[in-house]
């Protein structure tokens, strides 16, 4: 189905004063080229000027069968016939004919003319380049991005790359280089050459051709009688996006460098039958976009950036297109999310206007100009019969018959100007109000507003919009003046360009607001689109509420779309803070429409100015009609706290256990914090829990992290802001450390665990080093963590000898030391990751020594650890050896420990009872593990053998028994 409206995309029309009846017409770059039907002559007219004045005339070398203009390079390409031979020729520097410079150069492709051009002088003459081909050319296409030329021959496609040769840094010679020959077995080149709109994609050209081969499979079979119509209606369209986000990206800049390396976001192909048209997207797969049903047989069609124009025998028709909707979805990943929206590609097309003309024959297009060729009989059959009857009645034998020339067909060449997109958009919006007045929920109103929205999208996607017109580069001022330029012209100034785009952007936001209004009233499945459209409109929530206030008095009340928008906006962290009046209005809206959402609404950071008494009254009514939920009770407690009623606050908090309250905070985390990232802010309820129930607060924050409601860095910032002046030493506030310890107990994410281990180790080392207690009482003691967290291990026995429980340091730091030792004795901490932290911890006392020895032992540095223990705390050496020197480390008993003890005992004269006792216990182990000969080899030869004899005897007896 095609919706038919009566908008006015056509603003005005002009008649082109051509000398002879046109045969072929084409346009581009603001110029209309007319080939005379009766001779080998081409006339060029200026489309942009009033009256379409003649620019120049020049002759062709043969009868023109096809003509095409390339805006890139400003050249004409023709297929001509002379003496029954077909030629392919290009006409460059044709503008010099304006200054009546009649010199014309003719050359073959690749061969430069002799004379001034070879010496590098400016080439101020038109030049005709003949392009030799092995086959007869049938059709041509020019790339709108690079200026490359694609030629369709009976059995192949030939691609010619546009070249520019600079001369004297002033002018340039255009030339072409053959780049590719693509053979097409079983495929008519007319079906391909005209469709290859973006032929600069040389690597993808063959793929594009294969895709286009399959296009007719999606459409009805074409009758042979209509084959010519089918061939003539294959039209390319490409779309380069990016200008919407960066005004400096545009075709003018691309063209200055030849456009190389720029790829369009989308490529479209329009395939037309006499009564039906099809638009396909052919980039990244062939996909049908739109189907057009013509009211009568179409003679020609043109797909433009904004519209599809077709001509029938007596009418010019303008249809909407969906190319901008395809491009939006190809370019922006946020389309069709809660952030952005775009009318669907599948939306039915519409006919904006049907303009009557008599005898339409040909159609071409250039930007905002539609060129029409009409040819109609000067005298109809009825006029002829009426004149004959008059002659018979007069019975005048002197009546002369008309000359056959007077009965010939008349013709006209029209240039129809389309209205600026902004003007047409405003008209479509005004038109939509007629539907809205009749029925606010009218689908026609929504459809027309969607069409207007797509019109603006397509305009903003065009990189030429607002860009300055590129003036011709020529030293000939007469030539410039003849084209309509003067020395004082400021065509397309930066200010104008910015203003144009700003006006379009403003209209685009207004269009989003109109669509948001439509969907806000709907109760259908698409009502959720009110959210992204209102977001794109730039309206504040207060402004959206004001636009929808009139719905409150309607029988159906506020629409689901508006409620969906308001609900989701209140849940977002970036929404503005509502005034007290507006916030109270929001409470009333949800109190009537969706009372179950009130706990979530009240906890929104945007609602901080709402009356707590009014919010509490709404929650009381909600609780009276249903079972009380934990979030509802917590919300009531938060409001009571804001009112200063601590008794009511405690009454609500005592209704549920702390575990249920944790679940309630998971469901509504905004009761504790507002904002995300660097804007995290604790709520008054969180500050009160800090002073009264810090255990509940920590447990709730751990639950929020584990349920992906808050990130670790956000939790750090939350506690830093929460505690403020209560911060402890460098490690941060104690409540943050409590959170890290609790999270380490709960988390199963390896990355989080390693990060927490490093942070906690850093804090413990810092506190043990500083020993400046500030009365920070942790929620968990070292014993609590050892018993409940697998990452904390029981301290090794030799560690307890180094730092016993009655160790003479401040008790708070005794806990920190024990937690640090427990982490080092646990199975998870990677000791190598904390080695840089040890530099700040001296080992001058046993506290520091125990940490350094634990790290060294974890890194298998047992020999140095044995020496340090014997130097500093020999009474711990045997517990250390019993715990550490086992299995593959057993050999250290006799290779390291035994020699060290012997030497140190001898040096002490045998009077050091600690060393002597350790040596005896070492001998027991050595005698057990070695055979007599091995044991004998270890004994010193200093005359003390009698000391070792009992152990040697025991070793021998054990060996005999085994």
């Amino acid at each position: 189905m095609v919706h038919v409206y009566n908008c006015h995309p056509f603003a005005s029309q002009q008649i082109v004063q051509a000398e002879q009846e046109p045969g072929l017409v084409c346009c581009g770059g603001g110029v209309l080229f007319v080939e005379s039907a009766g001779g080998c002559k081409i006339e060029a007219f200026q489309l942009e000027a009033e009256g379409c004045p003649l620019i120049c005339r020049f002759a062709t070398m043969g009868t023109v069968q096809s003509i095409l203009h390339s805006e890139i390079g400003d050249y004409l390409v023709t297929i001509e016939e002379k003496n029954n031979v077909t030629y392919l020729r290009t006409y460059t520097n044709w503008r010099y004919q304006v200054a009546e410079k009649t010199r014309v150069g003719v050359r073959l492709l690749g061969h430069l003319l002799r004379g001034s051009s070879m010496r590098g002088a400016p080439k101020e003459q038109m030049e005709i380049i003949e392009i030799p081909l092995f086959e007869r050319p049938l059709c041509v296409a020019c790339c709108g991005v690079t200026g490359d030329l694609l030629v369709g021959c009976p059995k192949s496609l030939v691609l010619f790359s546009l070249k520019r040769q600079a001369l004297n840094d002033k002018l340039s010679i255009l030339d072409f280089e053959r780049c590719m020959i693509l053979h097409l077995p079983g495929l008519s080149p007319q079906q391909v050459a005209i469709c290859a709109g973006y032929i600069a994609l040389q690597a993808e050209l063959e793929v594009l051709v294969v895709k286009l081969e399959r296009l007719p499979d999606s459409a009805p079979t074409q009758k042979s009688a209509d084959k010519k119509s089918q061939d003539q209606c294959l039209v390319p369209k490409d779309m380069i996006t990016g200008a919407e986000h960066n005004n400096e990206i545009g075709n003018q800049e691309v063209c200055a460098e030849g456009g190389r390396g720029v790829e369009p976001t989308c490529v479209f192909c329009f395939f037309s039958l006499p009564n039906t048209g099809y638009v396909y997207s052919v980039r990244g797969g062939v996909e049908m976009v739109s189907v057009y049903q013509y009211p009568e047989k179409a003679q020609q069609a043109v797909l433009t950036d904004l519209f599809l124009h077709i001509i029938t025998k007596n009418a010019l028709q303008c249809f909407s297109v969906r190319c901008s909707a395809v491009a939006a979805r190809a370019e922006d990943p946020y389309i069709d999310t809660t952030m952005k929206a775009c009318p669907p590609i599948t939306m039915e097309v519409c006919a904006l206007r049907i303009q009557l003309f008599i005898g339409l024959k040909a159609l071409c297009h250039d930007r905002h100009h539609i060129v029409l060729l009409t040819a109609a009989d000067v005298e109809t059959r009825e006029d002829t019969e009426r004149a004959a009857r008059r002659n018979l009645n007069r019975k005048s034998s002197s009546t002369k018959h008309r000359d056959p020339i007077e009965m010939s067909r008349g013709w006209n060449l029209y240039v129809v100007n389309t209205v600026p997109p902004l003007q047409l958009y405003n008209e479509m919006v005004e038109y939509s109000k007629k539907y809205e007045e009749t029925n606010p929920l009218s689908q026609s109103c929504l459809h027309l507003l969607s069409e207007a929205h797509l019109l603006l999208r397509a305009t903003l996607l065009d990189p030429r919009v607002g860009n300055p017109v590129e003036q011709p580069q020529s030293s000939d001022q007469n030539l410039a003046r003849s084209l309509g330029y003067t020395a004082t012209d400021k065509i397309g100034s930066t200010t104008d360009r910015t203003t144009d785009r700003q006006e379009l952007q403003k209209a685009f936001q207004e269009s989003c607001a109109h669509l948001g209004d439509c969907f806000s009233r709907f109760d259908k499945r698409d009502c959720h689109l009110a959210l992204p459209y209102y977001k794109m409109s730039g309206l504040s929530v207060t402004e959206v509420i004001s636009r929808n206030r009139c719905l409150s008095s309607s029988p159906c009340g506020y629409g689901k779309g508006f409620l969906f928008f308001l609900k989701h906006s209140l849940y977002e962290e970036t929404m503005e803070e509502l005034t007290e009046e507006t916030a109270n209005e929001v409470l009333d809206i949800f109190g009537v429409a969706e009372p179950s959402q009130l706990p979530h609404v009240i906890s929104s950071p945007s609602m901080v100015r709402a009356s707590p008494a009014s919010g509490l009254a709404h929650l009381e009514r909600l609780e009276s009609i249903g079972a009380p939920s934990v979030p509802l009770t917590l919300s009531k407690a938060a409001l009571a706290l804001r009112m200063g009623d601590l008794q009511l606050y405690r009454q609500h908090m005592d209704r549920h256990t702390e575990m249920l309250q944790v679940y309630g905070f998971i469901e509504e985390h905004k009761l504790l914090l507002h904002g995300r990232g660097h804007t995290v802010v604790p709520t008054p309820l969180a500050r009160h829990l800090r002073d009264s129930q810090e255990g509940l607060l920590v447990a709730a924050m751990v639950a929020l992290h584990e349920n992906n409601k808050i990130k670790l860095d956000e939790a750090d910032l939350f506690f830093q802001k929460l505690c403020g002046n209560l911060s402890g030493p460098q490690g941060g506030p104690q409540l943050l450390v409590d959170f890290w310890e609790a999270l380490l107990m709960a988390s199963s994410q390896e990355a989080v665990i390693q990060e927490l281990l490093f942070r906690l180790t850093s804090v413990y080392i810092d506190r043990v080093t500083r020993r400046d207690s500030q009365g920070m009482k942790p929620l968990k003691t070292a014993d609590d963590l050892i018993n409940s967290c697998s990452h904390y291990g029981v301290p090794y026995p030799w560690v307890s000898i180094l730092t016993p429980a009655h160790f003479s340091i401040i008790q708070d730091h005794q806990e920190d030391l024990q937690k640090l030792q427990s982490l080092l004795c646990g199975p998870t901490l990677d000791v190598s990751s904390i080695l840089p932290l040890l530099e700040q911890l001296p080992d001058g006392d046993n506290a520091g020594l125990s940490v350094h020895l634990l790290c060294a032992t974890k890194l298998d540095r047992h020999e140095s650890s044995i020496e340090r223990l014997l130097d500093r705390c020999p009474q711990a050496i045997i517990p250390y050896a019993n715990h550490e020197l086992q299995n593959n480390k057993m050999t250290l008993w006799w290779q390291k420990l035994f020699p060290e003890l012997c030497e140190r005992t001898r040096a002490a004269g045998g009077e050091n009872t600690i060393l002597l006792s350790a040596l005896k216990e070492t001998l027991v182990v050595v005698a057990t593990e070695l055979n007599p000969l091995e044991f004998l080899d270890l004994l010193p030869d200093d005359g003390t053998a009698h000391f070792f004899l009992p152990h040697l005897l025991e070793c021998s007896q054990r060996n005999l028994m085994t």
Side-chain angles (χ1 to χ4, degrees):
M1 176 181 176
V2 176
H3 290 263
V4 180
Y5 300 103
N6 192 29
C7 297
H8 298 80
F10 308 123
S12 61
Q13 67 185 42
Q14 306 177 72
I15 297 179
V16 180
Q17 302 296 329
E19 278 193 345
Q20 299 178 2
E21 180 179 356
L24 298 172
V25 293
C26 75
C27 51
V31 181
L32 169 63
F33 299 92
V34 180
E35 182 265 338
S36 299
C40 302
K41 184 173 63 176
I42 293 178
E43 294 178 314
F45 299 90
Q46 182 67 36
L47 288 175
E48 303 291 343
E50 183 69 26
C52 298
L54 177 70
I55 298 176
C56 65
R57 295 185 180 94
F58 53 89
T60 62
M61 299 182 68
T63 303
V64 178
Q65 297 178 339
S66 175
I67 182 172
L68 187 66
H69 175 262
S70 173
E71 190 167 350
I72 311 301
D74 193 25
Y75 67 87
L76 280 172
V77 58
T78 63
I79 297 176
E80 303 178 12
E81 184 176 351
K82 186 174 184 180
N83 298 329
N84 295 324
V85 179
T86 304
Y87 299 90
L88 179 67
R89 295 188 174 105
T90 61
Y91 292 75
T92 66
N93 290 342
W94 59 269
R95 292 182 186 268
Y96 281 107
Q97 296 302 100
V98 177
E100 298 182 356
K101 297 182 178 180
T102 57
R103 291 189 304 166
V104 176
V106 182
R107 65 182 175 90
L108 285 175
L109 179 67
H111 296 272
L112 296 179
L113 292 175
R114 295 183 179 181
S116 62
S117 64
M118 295 299 293
R119 295 191 299 270
K123 192 170 186 179
E124 298 181 354
Q125 67 179 47
M126 186 172 77
E127 185 176 71
I128 303 174
I129 306 173
E130 186 171 311
I131 302 177
L133 295 167
F134 294 106
E135 302 177 71
R136 181 168 60 90
L138 299 178
C139 52
V140 292
C142 297
C143 178
V145 178
T146 65
D148 290 352
L149 176 63
L150 185 67
V151 184
C153 299
K155 296 181 180 179
S156 64
L157 285 176
V158 185
L159 177 64
F160 293 92
S161 177
L162 178 65
K163 296 289 185 180
R164 293 177 185 265
Q165 180 179 351
L167 296 176
N168 287 350
D169 297 327
K170 190 174 183 181
L171 275 119
S172 63
I173 293 178
L174 295 185
D175 207 354
F176 297 87
E177 178 183 30
R178 179 177 291 175
C179 292
M180 180 188 299
I181 298 178
L182 183 63
H183 296 285
L184 307 171
L187 181 64
S188 170
Q190 287 96 331
Q191 292 179 306
V192 178
I194 303 177
C195 290
Y198 186 66
I199 59 180
L201 288 174
Q202 297 178 15
E204 297 187 13
L205 181 59
E206 188 169 0
V207 179
L208 181 59
V209 171
V210 173
K211 290 174 181 175
L212 291 176
E213 277 190 89
R214 296 196 291 267
L215 288 184
D217 296 340
S218 304
T221 303
Q222 177 65 18
K223 297 180 181 179
S224 58
D226 297 325
K227 187 176 189 303
K228 182 178 179 181
S229 174
Q230 175 186 1
D231 292 342
Q232 295 301 318
C233 291
L234 288 168
V235 185
K237 182 181 186 301
D238 55 44
M239 183 170 289
I240 300 177
T241 60
E244 184 175 2
H245 308 293
N246 184 355
N247 294 344
E248 298 304 320
I249 300 177
N251 252 1
Q252 299 294 337
E253 298 174 10
V254 171
C255 297
E257 299 298 329
R260 305 294 174 184
V262 179
E263 295 188 8
T265 299
C266 301
V267 179
F268 301 95
C269 176
F270 175 62
F271 177 82
S272 184
L273 303 178
N275 294 100
T276 312
Y278 303 88
V279 175
Y280 294 88
S281 172
V282 293
R283 186 151 171 79
V286 177
E287 179 185 4
M288 182 183 290
V289 177
S290 301
V291 178
Y292 296 87
Q293 298 291 338
Y294 309 142
E296 54 183 335
K297 184 177 180 179
Q299 297 186 3
Q300 198 172 350
V302 168
L303 183 67
T304 72
D305 291 339
L306 304 180
F307 306 108
L308 168 65
H309 298 289
I310 70 162
I311 56 172
T312 62
K313 184 178 180 180
N314 294 311
L316 167 65
Q317 301 181 15
C318 176
F319 293 88
S320 60
V321 295
R322 301 286 171 264
C323 297
S324 60
V326 177
R329 287 174 169 83
E331 182 190 46
D332 196 337
Y334 293 101
I335 290 292
D336 298 326
T337 67
T338 59
M339 300 297 295
K340 295 181 181 179
C342 180
I345 299 171
T346 56
M347 186 176 66
E348 294 173 334
V349 298
C350 75
L352 290 177
R353 182 72 174 174
I354 299 178
Q355 191 81 23
L356 296 179
F357 287 87
I358 299 175
L360 285 167
K361 299 299 181 183
L363 164 71
C364 63
H365 166 266
D366 180 52
R367 297 186 182 176
H368 58 278
H369 302 291
I370 305 295
V371 179
L372 302 172
L373 175 61
T374 67
D377 293 336
V378 175
E379 194 172 78
T380 65
R381 181 184 302 175
E382 293 179 358
D383 294 334
T384 304
E385 294 176 351
R386 190 178 301 112
R389 286 194 297 269
R390 284 199 305 267
N391 293 335
L392 290 173
N393 291 335
R394 292 175 183 174
K395 297 180 181 180
S396 173
S397 59
S398 61
T399 303
K400 297 181 180 179
H401 294 284
R402 289 197 177 191
D403 189 88
I405 297 177
E406 297 180 26
M407 296 294 294
S408 65
R409 298 168 62 85
W411 59 269
N412 274 310
L413 193 59
Y414 297 97
V415 174
V416 180
N417 300 317
T418 58
V419 301
L422 197 56
Q423 180 179 336
L424 179 58
Y425 161 76
N426 290 327
E427 181 180 344
M428 296 169 76
V429 172
E430 288 299 318
Y431 200 110
S432 69
K433 292 180 180 178
K434 298 179 181 178
Y435 295 106
E436 185 178 4
E437 291 172 359
T438 305
N439 180 7
L441 301 179
S442 168
Q443 284 293 328
S444 296
C445 176
L446 173 62
H447 186 273
L448 189 54
L449 287 174
S450 298
E451 296 289 359
H453 179 86
L454 288 178
L455 173 66
L456 293 177
R457 269 193 180 275
T459 307
L460 287 167
L461 286 173
D462 186 352
R464 297 171 299 189
V465 172
N467 283 338
V469 177
E470 186 178 15
Q471 301 188 13
Q473 299 178 358
S474 172
S475 59
D476 195 325
Q477 297 301 320
N478 292 330
L479 175 62
R481 281 195 294 270
S482 67
L483 296 178
Y485 298 106
T486 65
T488 58
D489 280 342
K490 296 182 179 179
I491 300 175
S493 66
T494 303
T495 303
D496 294 339
R497 175 178 61 183
T498 304
T499 302
D500 290 345
R501 188 161 288 277
Q502 287 177 346
E503 290 178 355
L504 283 168
Q505 196 66 43
K506 182 180 179 181
F508 180 80
Q509 290 182 319
E510 179 193 87
S511 169
C512 295
H514 288 318
L515 288 174
D517 291 340
C518 284
F519 287 108
S520 69
R521 296 189 291 259
F522 287 175
D523 290 336
K524 300 179 181 179
R525 62 178 183 176
D526 290 337
C527 66
H528 67 280
L529 293 175
L531 175 62
Y533 278 119
Y534 274 142
K535 280 187 178 179
M536 294 163 62
S537 71
L539 294 172
S540 67
V541 174
T542 301
E543 290 170 327
V544 173
I545 293 174
S546 177
R547 294 171 74 101
N548 286 270
R549 191 170 286 130
C550 60
L551 298 178
S552 61
S553 58
S554 67
C556 299
Y558 288 102
K560 288 185 178 179
F562 169 70
L563 293 174
F564 183 87
F565 159 80
L566 189 56
K567 179 169 56 179
H568 281 265
S569 298
L570 290 171
Y571 295 165
E572 293 179 358
E573 305 293 346
T574 57
M575 199 192 104
E576 76 272 13
E577 190 175 294
L578 300 178
T579 64
E580 180 179 358
E581 180 183 1
T582 305
N584 290 337
E585 182 180 0
V586 170
L587 288 177
D588 295 336
I589 291 173
F590 282 97
V592 175
E594 290 189 47
S596 62
Q597 296 296 323
L598 281 171
H600 308 293
V601 171
I602 287 174
S603 63
S604 170
S606 305
M607 298 288 290
V608 294
R609 295 185 182 179
S611 167
S614 176
L616 197 59
H618 279 290
L619 292 179
E620 292 286 357
R621 285 193 292 272
L622 173 61
E623 191 174 40
S624 65
I625 61 176
S629 65
V630 178
L632 188 149
T633 304
L634 292 175
S635 298
K636 292 174 67 176
L639 291 175
L641 190 63
R642 286 180 55 191
M643 295 168 62
D645 192 339
L646 293 181
Q647 181 178 359
L648 182 60
Y649 163 81
R650 178 50 54 194
Q651 177 182 339
H652 288 305
M653 292 296 289
D654 290 342
R655 293 175 64 179
H656 301 288
T657 64
E658 285 196 355
M659 183 58 68
L660 288 178
Q661 289 175 345
V662 168
Y663 289 131
F665 286 125
I666 294 175
E667 190 171 345
E668 192 43 71
H669 68 278
K670 290 185 177 66
L671 288 168
L672 294 179
L673 63 122
H674 292 161
R676 295 303 300 265
H678 297 294
T679 63
V680 168
V681 177
T683 64
L685 177 59
R687 297 185 183 280
H688 187 78
L689 292 177
R690 174 200 64 189
D691 301 327
S692 59
Q693 291 178 279
E694 62 271 22
L696 171 60
L697 179 61
V698 169
M701 293 301 295
V702 170
L704 293 183
H705 180 275
E706 290 303 285
N707 286 273
N708 299 318
K709 300 291 186 178
I710 191 174
K711 298 179 181 178
L712 185 58
D713 290 342
E714 292 174 332
D716 292 347
L717 185 60
F718 170 84
F719 282 106
Q720 293 283 0
K721 290 185 176 181
L722 183 68
C723 296
N725 57 359
L726 301 179
S727 298
Q730 183 178 346
Q734 178 60 45
L735 208 56
L736 175 58
V737 179
D738 292 332
F739 167 74
W740 289 342
E741 291 174 345
L743 184 58
L744 185 61
M745 296 168 57
S747 181
S748 59
Q749 305 175 46
E750 185 60 28
V752 174
I753 291 173
Q754 291 301 324
E755 176 66 21
L756 292 172
L757 288 172
F758 182 84
R759 293 185 182 190
L760 288 171
T761 304
S762 177
V763 169
Y764 297 152
I765 289 177
D766 178 76
R767 291 183 176 181
V768 170
T769 302
R770 293 174 180 269
R771 299 187 183 181
D772 52 349
S773 175
Q774 297 183 2
M776 299 174 295
K777 299 297 181 182
L779 291 178
K780 297 287 184 180
T781 65
D783 290 338
D784 294 333
L785 294 175
I786 292 171
N787 293 329
S788 57
C789 182
S790 61
H791 305 294
Y792 289 85
V794 178
Y796 304 147
W798 59 270
V799 175
S800 300
I801 295 176
L802 277 173
T803 55
H806 59 277
F807 194 59
S808 58
I809 65 173
I810 301 173
Q811 181 60 36
D812 293 340
H813 290 89
Q814 179 72 25
E815 286 290 339
D816 293 320
L817 176 62
Q818 290 180 356
K819 291 177 180 178
L820 176 58
Q821 292 171 340
S822 298
L823 278 183
L824 292 170
C825 295
T828 314
L829 178 64
D830 180 10
V831 173
S832 61
S833 66
I834 66 166
L835 289 181
L837 301 176
L838 292 180
E839 296 178 0
Q840 63 175 307
L841 178 63
D843 62 351
D845 58 9
N846 281 10
L849 178 63
S850 67
V851 176
H852 281 270
L853 285 176
L854 278 170
C855 292
T857 300
K858 283 274 189 173
L859 296 173
D860 290 336
R861 300 171 184 173
H862 297 286
E863 296 189 11
S864 62
S865 298
I866 290 173
E867 294 176 0
R868 297 180 74 179
L869 272 178
L870 289 174
D871 290 339
R872 301 281 299 278
C873 188
Q875 61 268 30
I877 190 61
I878 295 302
Y880 177 88
N882 285 331
H883 188 268
E884 305 295 344
L885 305 185
Q886 302 295 325
N887 301 321
N888 61 338
K889 303 294 189 303
M890 182 64 73
T891 57
L892 290 177
W893 280 92
W894 51 87
Q895 292 179 355
K896 180 62 179 178
L897 182 58
F898 178 73
E900 285 285 342
L901 285 173
C902 287
E903 182 178 348
R904 293 171 185 265
T905 303
R906 184 186 305 111
E911 297 180 359
N912 190 320
T913 57
I914 296 177
L915 291 176
L916 191 60
S917 175
L919 178 59
K920 290 181 179 180
E921 293 191 41
T922 302
L923 283 172
V924 173
V925 175
V926 172
T928 303
E929 296 295 328
L930 300 181
N931 61 47
L933 291 178
E934 293 172 331
F935 184 78
L936 188 60
D937 288 339
L938 290 176
L939 298 183
D941 54 358
D942 56 355
T944 57
H946 64 280
F947 179 81
F948 302 100
L949 285 178
H951 300 284
L952 178 60
L953 179 61
E954 181 181 354
C955 178
S956 301
Q957 290 175 346
R958 183 178 294 105
N959 188 62
L960 289 174
M961 292 177 63
T962 57

